[in-house]
Amino acid sequence: MAQTTPSKRIIVVIGATGKQGGSVVKSLLADPKAASQFHVKAVTRDTNKESAKALAALGAETISGDLDNKDSLTSAIAGAYGVFAVTNFWEKVSGEVEEAQGKTIADEQGVKHLVYSSLLNVTKLSNGVLSGVYHFDSKANVEEYIRSLNIPASFFLPGFYMSNLPGKSIRQMPNGKWGLALPIPADSPIPLFDTENDTGIFVKAMFLNEEKVLGKRIYGATDYYTPTEIIEQFKQLYPAAGDARFNQLPHEVFKGIMAQTGAPEVIQEEMLQNMRLMPEFGYYGGESLEFSHSILSNQPTTWEEFAKKAPEFSAPLRKKTHEENKTMLHHVSSSPPLSSSFARPHLLFGTASFGTNSAQAKFQSAETAQLVLDLLRRRGITHLDTARAYPVGSPGTSEALLGRLSAPRHFTVSTKVASFSPGAHSARGIEESVERSLEALGVGKVEILYLHAPDRSTGWEETCRAVDAQWRKGRFERFGLSNFKAEEVEAMVGVCEREGLVRPSVYQGRYNAVVRGGEEELFPVLRSPTAVGLFSGSTTSSMNTPGSRWDTSTPMGKNYSSTYLKPSILGATQRVADAAKTAGLDGHALALRWTIYHSRLDGKYGDAVVLGASSLKQLEANLDAADAGPLEEDMVKMVEGVWEVVKGEGEAAPYYL
């Protein structure tokens, strides 16, 4: 612990181990002029924690103090020339508590320069239009109280945190595309600010220029950036991000995203109004940054400088090339070799085996389903794929089980519209299906909304308009197609382009070592990556087992049986299963590894494999297989020989329904 130097004036920093306070302590100690004039006392609740010890190592005197304990603050502030204070609305989510803390600080006697971290009163600025930005208004009320005391004070107003952008507002979607999504127009002025590095730059200047700033506000921002400028600079810095774009989110979509994090309605609305403040009234009410910058001796961090250092960007993007980012809906004409540029496809988990009252539901209780979700989180799987039709025999109960377990709080969830009856894709049919899915899942939106299969009794125009209506209500992020023919995909896209509707951008379909007919027309995200058990050597013995996928008493069983149970397929796959066994490999794992490492899938294009499992043990085995790496060349040739046999005998299964 550093000792007070009598010749130096004391600056007390309250909240010293937080982002703002820590930055102030470091800047005061690192600047020769400031360090020669000021002795820094860093106030924190626990002086023994590592962050406090780190400040002490830099030369600060660490002392205990609590904003809720007036006596501790009086002791900490005693003898101080200056005080920097930041209060935290979010710690207790209470404006009353924050105002009480701020007033306690203001009431301390003898301070010659109080710098309070404030914000504007949005309710007053907007004439009541935006009356729910409580964490702004409570700080503004403290500022008003300080001014009423006529004490020597100035006010630091931090801008929009740059740290809110990487990995949050700007992120890579499951399809590999990058984008910036905010509920404001593309030309909105956003005062960007690097909190951890630059708070100290501004506050240090305020203490060193007391005569210029007393009674005034200093706006802590590098510059006003628009969303368009933010995403364009990001793209210039990271060409591998490809055609990254800004997406203006509908207000209800933004609130739906907040809801998925567990935020209550009042916080959802507060965050939305906080964003609306910038285009509608100005974050700083339209004030210039010129005076605030005039007192600085160090230049604040630019967005480009911040983005360059952000690990959320540099780690996935720095080693890639511009051409590596494609949409998930695309056409591939030849099988790419496994090379240094290959990226393993993303892994998703399909929840067709979740639900109740169905032989197809292998995880029927909350307890068993939770074990699956826990395993997925441990193994880094963050996306769940479900459907209104899951499980077969008891539709909707898969979504309901996920909702009961609050799975959308921890996973990105996509679902599929009920599609297997005539008229399912009418405007009314889609509306009802989506509403039931969202209600069951307990969310306001999903990541991808698929049409599970074509409804050829309903016109493509009506279907596309119905889906677009749901998108405009903020109920999903991206539009997907599943089990459509290539020409039907083209027709759907054409309708959407002509009418200005949300376009399909994701395709999910059947693709494995046996079903490869779609390779020449489209490159699907896989629905059934392990050739539906054909290489496991168990097909013949289980094909009539009640409740299995081969059970011909169910629609799915009839479909699987007619697709796969053909002499050429059975004979070829059995030979591969036997060879795998001889080589000490599990046939199921063999098929999965081929799909992941040797098919035309490639993660650099955003491709993904949807894993399934009928038991926790099988799921763990599938995940282990996915991590096992590529197959030996002889095994690859043997697996690919199955397709040659199937194709040659004219028994290739369709990739669509």
Side-chain angles (χ1 to χ4, degrees), residues 116 118 143 146-147 153-157 206 215-218:
Y116 178 68
S118 185
E143 177 182 333
I146 293 171
R147 289 182 181 278
S154 56
F155 306 91
F156 173 70
L157 280 66
M206 294 172 75
K216 296 180 179 179
R217 290 172 175 160
I218 296 297

Side-chain angles (χ1 to χ4, degrees), residues 417-437:
V417 171
S419 301
F420 297 100
S421 60
H425 291 173
S426 65
R428 181 177 179 181
I430 288 177
E431 172 90 19
E432 290 180 352
S433 181
V434 171
E435 288 183 347
R436 289 172 181 171
S437 290

Side-chain angles (χ1 to χ4, degrees), residues 152-429:
S154 56
F155 306 91
F156 173 70
L157 280 66
F160 187 92
Y161 286 16
M162 290 184 186
S163 57
N164 288 332
L165 297 175
K168 298 172 185 175
S169 298
I170 300 178
R171 63 188 180 95
Q172 188 178 28
M173 304 304 171
N175 68 346
K177 288 281 189 178
W178 286 81
L180 166 62
L182 294 170
I184 55 178
D187 60 354
S188 303
I190 305 175
L192 289 186
F193 176 58
D194 182 355
T195 320
E196 293 191 46
N197 285 321
D198 294 348
T199 301
I201 292 175
F202 283 92
V203 174
K204 174 191 68 177
M206 294 172 75
F207 281 123
L208 290 173
N209 294 276
E210 173 184 314
E211 71 285 354
K212 293 182 179 180
V213 302
L214 280 177
K216 296 180 179 179
R217 290 172 175 160
I218 296 297
Y219 302 110
T222 301
D223 204 350
Y224 289 104
Y225 294 80
T226 67
T228 297
E229 291 170 334
I230 290 170
I231 199 66
E232 286 301 318
Q233 289 189 24
F234 166 74
K235 287 164 60 177
Q236 292 173 15
L237 190 60
Y238 295 105
D243 188 26
R245 298 182 181 181
F246 170 67
N247 177 30
Q248 182 179 346
L249 298 174
H251 290 176
E252 289 306 310
V253 171
F254 178 79
K255 292 176 67 174
I257 294 172
M258 294 292 300
Q260 289 188 12
T261 69
E265 169 64 24
V266 64
I267 301 300
Q268 296 170 33
E269 182 62 27
E270 178 164 10
M271 291 297 95
L272 175 61
Q273 290 191 22
N274 193 170
M275 297 302 300
R276 288 176 55 194
L277 169 66
M278 291 182 280
E280 295 180 29
F281 300 96
Y283 188 98
Y284 292 135
E287 291 290 335
S288 167
L289 303 177
E290 184 177 353
F291 174 75
S292 298
H293 284 194
S294 71
I295 66 171
L296 300 180
S297 58
N298 307 91
Q299 292 301 309
T301 306
T302 66
W303 163 237
E304 182 180 5
E305 291 168 342
F306 185 90
K308 189 180 296 183
K309 296 183 296 182
E312 297 89 345
F313 296 158
S314 59
L317 287 170
R318 189 149 286 159
K319 295 183 180 179
K320 294 184 179 181
T321 66
H322 178 76
E323 291 301 315
E324 287 179 341
N325 291 282
K326 309 290 183 183
T327 62
M328 298 171 77
L329 183 65
H330 57 277
H331 169 80
V332 178
S333 59
S334 61
S335 181
L338 188 64
S339 67
S340 59
S341 67
F342 170 81
R344 193 183 84 169
H346 307 287
L347 300 180
L348 292 69
F349 182 72
T351 65
S353 55
F354 277 38
T356 56
N357 304 314
S358 169
Q360 298 293 327
K362 308 304 180 183
F363 305 99
Q364 299 205 19
S365 69
E367 291 74 20
T368 57
Q370 188 62 57
L371 291 174
V372 172
L373 298 181
D374 290 344
L375 175 58
L376 293 172
R377 293 183 70 187
R378 289 197 302 272
R379 298 295 291 267
I381 308 300
T382 60
H383 290 76
L384 301 179
D385 179 79
T386 189
R388 192 65 202 153
Y390 293 165
V392 173
S394 188
T397 61
S398 176
E399 293 174 328
L401 184 53
L402 292 173
R404 284 173 54 200
L405 296 173
S406 299
R409 292 190 180 184
H410 307 290
F411 296 87
T412 299
V413 178
S414 299
T415 194
K416 306 178 190 71
V417 171
S419 301
F420 297 100
S421 60
H425 291 173
S426 65
R428 181 177 179 181

Side-chain angles (χ1 to χ4, degrees), residues 483-512:
N483 299 307
F484 279 63
K485 297 177 182 179
E487 58 265 33
E488 292 172 328
V489 172
E490 292 175 342
M492 294 285 281
V493 171
V495 169
C496 294
E497 287 183 337
R498 286 194 304 274
E499 300 196 11
L501 309 175
V502 61
R503 290 179 50 183
S505 60
V506 187
Y507 185 101
Q508 185 182 128
R510 293 193 264 189
Y511 178 76
N512 50 56

